[in-house]
Amino acid sequence: MANWNNLDTLASYQKLEALKGKVNLAEAMTGETGAQRAKTYAVPMAADMSFNYAAKEVDADVLNALKELAEEAQLAEKYEELYNGAVINTGEKRLVLHQLTRGQLGEDVIADGVNKRAFYKEQQDRIAEFAAKVHAGEITNAAGEKFNTVVQIGIGGSDLGPRAMYLALENWAKANDTFKMNAKFISNVDPDDAAGVLATTDVAHAIFVLVSKSGTTLETLTNESFVKDALVKAGLNPADHMIAVTSETSPLAKSDDYLAAFFMDDYIGGRYSSTSAVGGAVLSLAFGPEVFARFLNGAAEEDKLAANKCIFENPDMLDALIGVYERNVQGYGATAVLPYSQALSRFPAHLQQLDMESNGKSVNRFGGEISYVTGPMIFGEPGTNGQHSFYQLLHQGTDIIPMQFVGFKNSQIGSDVDIQGSTSQQKLCANVAAQIVAFACGKKDADPNKTFEGGRPSSIIIGKQLTPEALGALLAHFENKVMFQGFLWNVNSFDQEGVQLGKVLAKKVLAHDTDGALKVYSDLLEI
């Protein structure tokens, strides 16, 4: 049984604190020293990817201290307890089983009298069968016509992850003849969101996926009513156009309002649900169940690497440890996620929720106070657009913000054009290589306005191409990184009490049960 202790009580953390500022990154990344680091400071990932941390402020001493920290904090043992069914979510007294949606690392997990791996696999098989029938025209609209669009209705983790995954594979699927249906997403309770999607959707040939674990999510049910109203006005029966992804105990589970219902449970948090039925239904309909299975395989292979006890063979754990060193020892308050791939345009938004909702905590797993900082602020945009936006602050601002780049050697589509001696993909890759060195090494100039101090740390995940397997591995890498950091900070990464208070007050506003400032703001907004 692993021991759970606050970070600042660990002897190895005290040793790590003594190494603050030890590495001069500009010197370390200059000349032959930098070249050697770039070659050797790398760890293989699944799907032919690699985590390269050469431009981080670490050396042999820091890395050895991080190794000791991983061992003292029992990171590998805690991960093993998690995937073998321990009650890791202490806030809600629940197991944490999202890894089981894509494989089986350890023992069978029996919960509520059910083999949970078998349960998740059964749902995947049911979704695959349903999607195949839709694609074959065996499940159609009332007129016997095939569906050509799938629209997911959900919010938070029911939207951000699946939407990011869809966009990441949309062009790849079209280039590889696996694209089946367009996918769209409705999430915001703002009526302009649903209205805008419906205005560009042929609802007669659309199938809608309602995602709500409890079956009571206010924003999602509101948008469902919006969609049903549009279907009725078009002379259609909503029950012929809707499926549900929910829990077996929710009011949606056995309702006649849906063509089918696919199930998840309380052991998978929304932000960790892209590999469950939450992502499975929309992605299987959009690209085919075979592509979704490949996505799961990539995630499963990365999970296996995350179980390695040696940090130098475990890219997810090493990334997490370096991140804690940056946050707690170096004092950096934010991390920028910078994918040099347009397909990953919404991936930073997903990671923003994954990281900040998981580790944005100020008490430990047992409700006790902690005296150190926890999760950083996460933000980002794809390169090279970001270079013409917020990179100015990253290069010359007063705050040092660590960066996580993602880059691929080849584009998804394959078509390109040679302009001025290089292709677009080569220009893209040239930019990310240049940014890593520019941030690390900087540039001296007689004009202070043109001086770059350097010393801005970054890592990069490099892959051959953004395939379903690579996307699955990338997703699992960050899920596991967040998990390991939560273990180190001794916080519960799997509840989200911070989202609840606003929901409660919003219900009071809608019930006109307000006073004080809440009433004034309600009146100002004419509610």
Side-chain angles (χ1 to χ4, degrees):
M1 183 72 74
N3 297 313
W4 298 88
N5 299 294
N6 283 3
L7 177 66
D8 57 1
T9 68
L10 303 178
S12 53
Y13 176 68
Q14 315 300 328
K15 186 179 295 186
L16 191 65
E17 280 193 308
L19 297 173
K20 180 177 182 178
K22 180 179 183 296
V23 176
N24 183 316
L25 187 59
E27 291 181 1
M29 286 297 291
T30 298
E32 185 56 37
T33 303
Q36 190 62 27
R37 282 174 66 98
K39 292 176 184 177
T40 58
Y41 278 41
V43 185
M45 292 174 57
D48 292 321
M49 295 194 297
S50 175
F51 170 64
N52 187 302
Y53 58 98
K56 289 291 191 181
E57 294 170 302
V58 298
D59 62 3
D61 291 336
V62 174
L63 291 169
N64 285 331
L66 292 176
K67 179 176 179 290
E68 291 182 27
L69 179 61
E71 292 169 353
E72 186 179 2
Q74 297 177 287
L75 296 187
E77 290 80 2
K78 288 170 182 175
Y79 182 36
E80 186 174 356
E81 287 187 8
L82 181 148
Y83 62 68
N84 280 326
V87 180
I88 296 295
N89 180 348
T90 52
E92 297 169 316
K93 297 180 174 58
R94 293 173 180 168
L95 290 66
V96 177
L97 301 181
H98 55 275
Q99 274 89 358
L100 287 186
T101 62
R102 61 244 194 174
Q104 182 79 47
L105 283 171
E107 307 160 4
D108 283 344
V109 176
I110 310 298
D112 308 321
V114 174
N115 182 314
K116 299 310 293 186
R117 171 59 188 145
F119 170 74
Y120 300 139
K121 183 67 169 63
E122 178 190 11
Q123 299 311 307
Q124 290 164 11
D125 291 343
R126 291 182 61 231
I127 289 169
E129 181 181 4
F130 182 87
K133 288 182 177 179
V134 170
H135 299 150
E138 295 176 33
I139 296 176
T140 66
N141 66 9
E145 299 163 337
K146 293 178 71 171
F147 295 110
N148 58 27
T149 303
V150 54
V151 182
Q152 179 125 319
I153 308 169
I155 197 165
S158 300
D159 169 74
L160 286 165
R163 188 194 296 249
M165 302 308 120
Y166 170 79
L167 292 173
L169 293 178
E170 181 180 16
N171 285 332
W172 177 90
K174 290 176 179 177
N176 287 273
D177 296 324
T178 66
F179 188 81
K180 307 294 185 182
M181 303 169 66
N182 287 305
K184 300 181 181 182
F185 297 83
I186 298 173
S187 60
N188 199 332
V189 75
D190 181 342
D192 288 344
D193 187 15
V197 171
L198 292 171
T200 60
T201 301
D202 175 10
V203 295
H205 298 92
I207 189 166
F208 295 85
V209 184
L210 181 77
V211 183
S212 175
K213 186 188 301 182
S214 66
T216 61
T217 310
L218 178 63
E219 297 97 332
T220 301
L221 295 184
T222 299
N223 279 327
E224 180 193 28
S225 296
F226 204 110
V227 168
K228 284 183 173 179
D229 182 64
L231 288 165
V232 170
K233 287 178 178 176
L236 304 167
N237 179 3
D240 294 333
H241 290 261
M242 304 196 79
I243 65 175
V245 175
T246 189
S247 67
E248 290 182 292
T249 58
S250 93
L252 311 179
K254 293 180 174 62
S255 171
D256 292 334
D257 289 342
Y258 307 98
L259 287 165
F262 304 106
F263 303 123
M264 53 179 168
D265 57 35
D266 285 335
Y267 306 128
I268 299 174
R271 57 195 176 276
Y272 296 93
S273 66
S274 291
T275 53
S276 75
V278 174
V282 64
L283 297 177
S284 295
L285 285 166
F287 306 133
E290 298 83 4
V291 171
F292 184 66
R294 291 177 58 180
F295 168 66
L296 297 182
N297 289 339
E301 289 304 309
E302 190 66 24
D303 285 342
K304 290 177 185 177
L305 293 177
N308 197 311
K309 291 185 178 181
C310 175
I311 69 168
F312 304 112
E313 298 173 6
N314 186 330
D316 308 358
M317 189 185 292
L318 182 58
D319 195 3
L321 287 159
I322 293 173
V324 168
Y325 174 66
E326 290 175 333
R327 181 76 175 112
N328 294 89
V329 177
Q330 297 291 83
Y332 305 144
T335 298
V337 179
L338 309 169
Y340 274 62
S341 167
Q342 186 59 31
L344 294 174
S345 61
R346 291 296 289 169
F347 196 68
H350 167 62
L351 295 188
Q352 191 174 64
Q353 184 203 12
L354 173 67
D355 201 312
M356 295 174 72
E357 194 168 79
S358 294
N359 290 336
K361 310 291 171 65
S362 55
V363 298
N364 68 19
R365 291 165 48 80
F366 312 106
E369 292 184 7
I370 52 178
S371 56
Y372 45 84
V373 295
T374 58
M377 186 179 79
I378 305 294
F379 69 97
E381 284 288 330
T384 57
N385 286 13
Q387 293 177 202
H388 298 270
S389 173
F390 52 82
Y391 277 37
Q392 169 62 44
L393 185 145
L394 299 182
H395 275 293
Q396 293 183 306
T398 54
D399 290 305
I400 292 179
I401 298 175
M403 292 151 283
Q404 291 200 295
F405 292 98
V406 180
F408 298 93
K409 300 172 188 177
N410 302 304
S411 66
Q412 287 185 313
I413 299 174
S415 61
D416 206 342
V417 60
D418 192 302
I419 299 176
Q420 296 179 348
S422 60
T423 66
S424 298
Q425 184 67 22
Q426 288 171 329
K427 289 179 175 68
L428 180 71
C429 292
N431 271 276
V432 69
Q435 291 296 328
I436 292 169
V437 174
F439 279 120
C441 298
K443 179 180 75 75
K444 299 300 181 185
D445 196 284
D447 182 349
N449 195 51
K450 296 181 180 180
T451 293
F452 294 75
E453 293 297 334
R456 313 277 167 144
S458 69
S459 63
I460 181 169
I461 293 173
I462 300 174
K464 291 182 179 179
Q465 186 187 51
L466 183 54
T467 62
E469 291 86 354
L471 181 65
L474 197 63
L475 176 72
H477 172 86
F478 284 102
E479 289 181 348
N480 295 330
K481 174 190 174 180
V482 167
M483 171 192 70
F484 285 130
Q485 289 186 329
F487 290 167
L488 286 162
W489 286 318
N490 196 27
V491 299
N492 180 10
S493 301
F494 303 103
D495 68 5
Q496 55 284 328
E497 291 299 327
V499 307
Q500 300 304 324
L501 179 58
K503 291 182 179 181
V504 172
L505 294 181
K507 288 180 178 179
K508 290 174 70 71
V509 171
L510 292 171
H512 301 289
D513 178 19
T514 58
D515 56 19
L518 189 59
K519 184 178 188 314
V520 173
Y521 282 116
S522 302
D523 291 342
L524 286 171
L525 290 164
E526 298 182 359
I527 300 169

